[in-house]
Amino acid sequence: MSADNPYTRAPPVPKSLGTKDPLFGFLPRKVTGKQVLAAMESDINPFNKRPHSPQYKKILEARKKLPVFGQMDEFLKMFTENQIIVMVGETGSGKTTQIPQFVCYSDLPHTKGQLVACTQPRRVAAMSVAKRVADEMDVSLGKEVGYSIRFEDMTEPGTTFLKYMTDGMLLREAMNDPDLKRYSTIILDEAHERTLATDILMGLLKDLAKRRSDLKIVVMSATLDAQKFQRYFSIAGPSQPAPLFKVPGRTHPVEVFYTQEPEPDYVEAAIRTVLMIHRAEGPGDILLFLTGEEEIEDACRKIKLEADDLVNQDPDSVGPLICIPLYSSLPPQQQQRIFDPPPPPRTPDGPPGRKVVISTNIAETSLTIDGIVYVVDPGFSKQKVYNPRIRVESLLVSPISKASAQQRAGRAGRTRPGKCFRLYTEKDFMTELEEQTHPEILRSNLANTVLELAKLGVKDLVHFDYVDAPAPETLMRALELLNYLAALDDDGALTPLGAIMADFPLDPQMAKMLIVSPEFNCSNEILTIVAMLSVPNVWLRPPNQRKEADLAKAHLTVPDGDHLTLMNVYNSYMNNKHDRQWCWNNYLSQRALQQAENVRSQLQRTMERYEIELVTTQDERKMWQNIRKALVCGFFMQVAHKEGEKNNYLTVKDNQVVSLHPSCGLDSSPEWVVFNEFVLTTKPYIRTVTEVRPEWLLEYAPNYFDLSTFPDGETKRALQRVLKKRALKVDGGASNGRNSPASDLPAKKRKKTAPS
DNA sequence: GAGCACTGC
């Protein structure tokens, strides 16, 4: 910010070095590899004109050995001649660190007050790559090179010209600046992972490229998807696919083995294979892929037992073995164990020890473990699937794709030649596995995405140029929900309320509930509840302390409803911050609560921007009633009605039979409830549940609770009885003339002009 | 009487 203030500036540097300037003679976007190489080898940093540090040259020498470095001139030529490039760089090619730097030398964004952006699907990647590149360019992180992720903007406006960021972050920026004018070039990295955000960005950028001829785009992906992207980005005409720039990787060969026959029990087969490798194969660590926490912990125990047996039977030829579980909900400290060295031999010249990491898909992309030589791949993972008919996302153990299997095998060849044992037949691999994992956009509830697209100015959501178009029914479901929430009008256009909702990083139901909550004098409470609903489960339940954990939970439970319990947990956490042991003593996840605190303050800032007041109700009973009313305004489509005597519920309109989830803290089973989630595990459950009154449903969501649209049944009859009773009351003089907040803007906002 | 594949805003 203060770059022009001579008093706060870093050591003075000559404004112009004339012909000594390493960038002397550089014409933007007409730069050659020879020129860049000379500039890189200069004693002066071309971008801040300061002398290079001693380690700069050392790092440069290492960079020169990367496969991509040898093709710099070729890349720059293609960059000069094309607006959009598809680039394929296999593992170890150095594309993520080098290509953005090459682009900077050609674009010279710092001379135009612009930036080069490089997106990543994951926060850690954005941070760590930015750090690495800042070192390579000999600048400090957050100055010329920075990163931007949720909760952390490590950039300096006016100084930063190369920015690594999460794909979701760039999408957010596009909502406020659809032309992304600050960027001279946008690089989408890991495009083959097909995250929702990257898919939407590809659609936006393809369109934007037509409007902004000065914008260049580089899409980086794995080999298998390149053609698809080349065809998608053929903006010069259907017969002219986007040019492909290809760089070989630098990995070691991996030998792949298949089973002769299909394995009926993949966990058992996996354990057997791990022990076989341990007995018969040379030194090197093992990575085994399983599908979830329970399966992993179970396999760890079994392998440990069997390996101990082997060692006892044959201590002269079998070395010690340690098993390390790995999944995302493990605390970071335990995740670090994957980097522990394998155990030493039991005697100085005994057989070497071995490490086995048993992991979910997290080790397929997010985490790399050095020293892995053997991979055991049963061929399954848990995948999200969305059923638009019943509006439910669930996790299903499904066969992986060929691309995924290839990625898993590659994990064995990072340090030296390795082996991959696939626990399925080669025939099944060839004929049964899909080429690619279905992109997320085909497997998700799109309510959020559709609202984002509307805010991005996309008028026709159905005919938007998707790389892969979602099922029409999924889009219809999303449009229907947003229309009921009054975020979209009957023509599908964004309403002023919808524009505000889109600015909150929340599901539309929660955004709606938060925005209307001042009308019920409980925005302070709803803000807390929404933050708690946005973070992972806060309750810990270690397998050997279940009773203690359940007891601790019972102490914090508010019997009137799970939403109130969440609020109580958050408030207790804040009141006990002085006690470092408090979370641990109450079997609560410190990490999740800390995250809730972050989310809450981020949401509060967005509320302030729109002047949505933070208010509270003093009377506790009234407050609780108000909270439940606000819940109805967001979640009126997630209501269930009790049927019969047992804990059986029927969801309203959809008529799905559901049960209260065992984690539910209600001390009774009320007739009407709103729920936060419908989960399909061993059977259909509703989770995070609170009692509501049927009158509120009719009052705050009259469009949805238009009984003429209801299927016949007990739910409809119950609501008809409520209507009748209400009609009698109104005749008695207690008229209710208030506007329904479920279809209107918050009171405060009505007086102001809607923000653009 | 069950769970939380993995990300992201």
Side-chain angles (χ1 to χ4, degrees):
Chain A
M1 285 279 225
S2 56
D4 295 324
N5 179 345
Y7 298 102
T8 58
R9 200 139 129 192
V13 285
K15 263 255 186 281
S16 169
L17 297 161
T19 50
K20 276 194 169 169
D21 186 331
L23 298 179
F24 179 79
F26 275 53
L27 289 174
R29 294 180 166 178
K30 290 196 173 74
V31 173
T32 64
K34 205 174 149 191
Q35 283 178 298
V36 174
L37 197 60
M40 283 178 174
E41 285 176 338
S42 155
D43 294 329
I44 298 168
N45 188 325
F47 294 101
N48 61 18
K49 317 284 195 239
R50 294 189 201 136
H52 276 307
S53 66
Q55 70 266 25
Y56 171 79
K57 283 272 157 77
K58 248 195 214 157
I59 303 178
L60 182 61
E61 289 316 306
R63 287 170 63 194
K64 286 183 183 169
K65 297 194 181 94
L66 290 167
V68 71
F69 207 93
Q71 288 169 258
M72 179 162 69
D73 187 59
E74 194 189 326
F75 174 82
L76 289 168
K77 190 160 181 290
M78 193 181 274
F79 185 77
T80 297
E81 290 167 359
N82 295 279
Q83 189 181 11
I84 305 183
I85 300 176
V86 174
M87 129 134 221
V88 160
E90 283 150 34
T91 320
S93 63
K95 66 174 191 313
T96 305
T97 52
Q98 305 309 306
I99 292 291
Q101 294 187 62
F102 298 171
V103 168
C104 285
Y105 272 97
S106 183
D107 250 6
L108 307 173
H110 64 300
T111 62
K112 306 178 276 188
Q114 285 188 301
L115 295 96
V116 168
C118 179
T119 67
Q120 296 293 321
R122 282 167 292 279
R123 300 162 49 108
V124 266
M127 289 165 63
S128 58
V129 177
K131 174 82 191 93
R132 171 70 198 171
V133 171
D135 287 347
E136 290 189 2
M137 294 184 78
D138 213 18
V139 299
S140 39
L141 183 64
K143 297 287 183 183
E144 286 81 359
V145 177
Y147 64 86
S148 175
I149 59 178
R150 188 183 187 184
F151 305 128
E152 201 182 351
D153 183 7
M154 204 38 173
T155 64
E156 190 175 280
T159 309
T160 303
F161 62 81
L162 173 54
K163 176 160 86 170
Y164 286 88
M165 65 203 302
T166 46
D167 48 8
M169 207 68 199
L170 185 60
L171 197 55
R172 285 269 144 194
E173 281 190 19
M175 295 199 326
N176 293 314
D177 173 19
D179 283 354
L180 294 167
K181 291 188 271 308
R182 311 164 60 192
Y183 300 99
S184 55
T185 294
I186 293 172
I187 304 165
L188 300 180
D189 199 4
E190 314 287 2
H192 60 277
E193 289 194 25
R194 303 292 305 276
T195 63
L196 253 171
T198 295
D199 261 32
I200 298 301
L201 282 171
M202 285 196 275
L204 291 177
L205 292 179
K206 180 177 175 180
D207 184 52
L208 184 53
K210 293 177 213 152
R211 280 183 282 135
R212 267 193 61 191
S213 56
D214 64 309
L215 175 74
K216 289 194 187 257
I217 297 161
V218 181
V219 178
M220 308 209 281
S221 97
T223 322
L224 288 164
D225 314 73
Q227 264 201 339
K228 181 167 194 156
F229 294 141
Q230 281 182 274
R231 272 199 301 270
Y232 178 74
F233 284 107
S234 58
I235 56 164
S239 59
Q240 278 179 278
L244 180 68
F245 183 75
K246 209 171 167 177
V247 183
R250 204 174 51 183
T251 50
H252 303 275
V254 175
E255 203 179 345
V256 176
F257 302 90
Y258 295 90
T259 56
Q260 292 299 310
E261 297 294 327
E263 290 288 351
D265 178 345
Y266 69 85
V267 179
E268 183 271 330
I271 294 171
R272 193 163 16 91
T273 308
V274 166
L275 293 164
M276 179 277 290
I277 294 169
H278 187 48
R279 262 198 324 257
E281 296 281 347
D285 298 332
I286 305 172
L287 173 60
L288 162 61
F289 286 100
L290 291 177
T291 65
E293 172 175 348
E294 200 181 309
E295 212 172 77
I296 287 168
E297 294 291 354
D298 196 42
C300 268
R301 273 191 299 273
K302 286 180 177 155
I303 292 175
K304 183 95 198 90
L305 281 174
E306 300 234 14
D308 286 349
D309 271 0
L310 281 180
V311 174
N312 288 334
Q313 283 165 22
D314 196 358
D316 294 334
S317 62
V318 182
L321 183 122
I322 53 161
C323 273
I324 300 170
L326 178 63
Y327 42 88
S328 77
S329 60
L330 274 178
Q333 214 181 340
Q334 291 209 46
Q335 287 191 6
Q336 286 300 309
R337 286 186 59 207
I338 61 173
F339 301 114
D340 288 354
R346 297 212 302 180
T347 54
D349 48 355
R354 199 191 298 270
K355 175 168 86 179
V356 186
V357 176
I358 308 180
S359 171
T360 60
N361 257 5
I362 194 171
E364 201 179 294
T365 48
S366 308
L367 278 170
T368 36
I369 311 157
D370 282 332
I372 297 295
V373 177
Y374 305 99
V375 162
V376 180
D377 172 21
F380 292 95
S381 71
K382 276 191 194 171
Q383 287 166 36
K384 185 169 73 182
V385 285
Y386 176 63
N387 181 341
R389 196 178 55 77
I390 56 173
R391 295 193 202 93
V392 68
E393 281 181 347
S394 49
L395 288 171
L396 265 187
V397 174
S398 329
I400 60 171
S401 64
K402 281 184 193 150
S404 198
Q406 201 180 39
Q407 178 78 14
R408 287 180 173 190
R411 292 306 199 192
R414 293 192 65 90
T415 37
R416 59 186 166 98
K419 291 181 180 177
C420 173
F421 298 88
R422 292 184 174 154
L423 305 181
Y424 37 92
T425 63
E426 185 165 14
K427 182 166 167 282
D428 279 351
F429 175 81
M430 297 308 290
T431 59
E432 300 298 315
L433 299 195
E434 305 236 26
E435 292 296 325
Q436 305 287 334
T437 311
H438 277 225
E440 207 183 351
I441 199 169
L442 304 183
R443 298 184 285 118
S444 309
N445 172 353
L446 296 181
N448 240 328
T449 307
V450 166
L451 182 60
E452 278 167 12
L453 282 168
K455 174 98 179 185
L456 285 159
V458 175
K459 297 276 183 298
D460 186 350
L461 298 152
V462 178
H463 297 104
F464 181 70
D465 191 359
Y466 300 95
V467 182
D468 281 293
E473 201 182 354
T474 305
L475 288 173
M476 294 325 287
R477 281 302 195 186
L479 291 167
E480 178 195 46
L481 172 82
L482 293 167
N483 180 239
Y484 276 123
L485 287 171
L488 299 179
D489 64 22
D490 291 348
D491 302 321
L494 191 67
T495 64
L497 170 67
I500 303 176
M501 285 168 63
D503 247 7
F504 284 91
L506 292 171
D507 282 342
Q509 296 95 318
M510 287 205 258
K512 174 66 181 276
M513 156 167 111
L514 184 58
I515 292 168
V516 303
S517 61
E519 288 208 37
F520 299 96
N521 276 314
C522 61
S523 49
N524 188 42
E525 289 70 32
I526 292 292
L527 176 59
T528 301
I529 291 171
V530 159
M532 288 292 280
L533 291 173
S534 306
V535 301
N537 186 10
V538 295
W539 309 103
L540 299 178
R541 210 164 176 246
N544 48 350
Q545 297 170 58
R546 290 197 177 167
K547 270 210 176 116
E548 294 87 337
D550 289 349
L551 197 67
K553 186 177 174 188
H555 279 301
L556 287 161
T557 297
V558 182
D560 299 305
D562 297 331
H563 294 90
L564 202 60
T565 298
L566 288 177
M567 190 175 95
N568 187 40
V569 169
Y570 183 84
N571 292 338
S572 308
Y573 161 73
M574 293 303 284
N575 289 336
N576 288 285
K577 276 208 137 177
H578 52 90
D579 179 2
R580 285 179 156 206
Q581 290 296 306
W582 189 82
C583 283
W584 179 251
N585 292 341
N586 287 281
Y587 293 88
L588 289 165
S589 160
Q590 164 109 41
R591 194 162 46 135
L593 283 162
Q594 172 65 53
Q595 219 177 319
E597 206 183 330
N598 275 345
V599 173
R600 193 180 188 280
S601 60
Q602 188 190 30
L603 295 174
Q604 194 180 334
R605 284 195 296 276
T606 308
M607 288 172 78
E608 281 161 11
R609 253 206 350 263
Y610 286 106
E611 298 181 62
I612 300 169
E613 283 178 308
L614 210 57
V615 286
T616 188
T617 309
Q618 289 307 323
D619 181 324
E620 218 178 68
R621 287 195 65 81
K622 256 197 194 151
M623 181 221 278
W624 180 219
Q625 178 144 324
N626 291 342
I627 291 173
R628 284 149 70 206
K629 286 180 180 172
L631 276 173
V632 166
C633 291
F635 286 88
F636 54 84
M637 291 174 81
Q638 285 162 227
V639 171
H641 182 236
K642 191 177 173 181
E643 305 281 319
E645 281 315 297
K646 284 190 290 182
N647 273 350
N648 272 343
Y649 283 80
L650 222 50
T651 59
V652 162
K653 276 202 188 176
D654 295 333
N655 281 336
Q656 295 286 316
V657 181
V658 293
S659 311
L660 295 181
H661 194 271
S663 67
C664 175
L666 287 171
D667 59 354
S668 61
S669 47
E671 187 179 354
W672 298 92
V673 293
V674 285
F675 55 90
N676 184 58
E677 272 183 301
F678 175 160
V679 288
L680 201 58
T681 50
T682 50
K683 61 179 191 175
Y685 285 109
I686 51 177
R687 194 159 55 189
T688 316
V689 176
T690 286
E691 177 183 10
V692 290
R693 298 217 190 119
E695 305 90 275
W696 300 339
L697 305 173
L698 297 163
E699 182 173 356
Y700 301 132
N703 288 339
Y704 189 72
F705 283 88
D706 173 359
L707 293 190
S708 66
T709 66
F710 265 61
D712 281 324
E714 182 46 36
T715 312
K716 183 175 182 171
R717 286 194 291 278
L719 285 168
Q720 277 166 336
R721 285 196 294 273
V722 176
L723 266 184
K724 225 179 198 171
K725 219 163 81 185
R726 200 166 71 153
L728 289 173
K729 259 195 197 159
V730 172
D731 286 345
S735 85
N736 185 342
R738 106 199 280 289
N739 279 331
S740 158
S743 56
D744 208 343
L745 278 175
K748 178 89 188 169
K749 224 44 249 177
R750 248 179 257 135
K751 293 179 223 133
K752 311 222 174 244
T753 44
S756 57

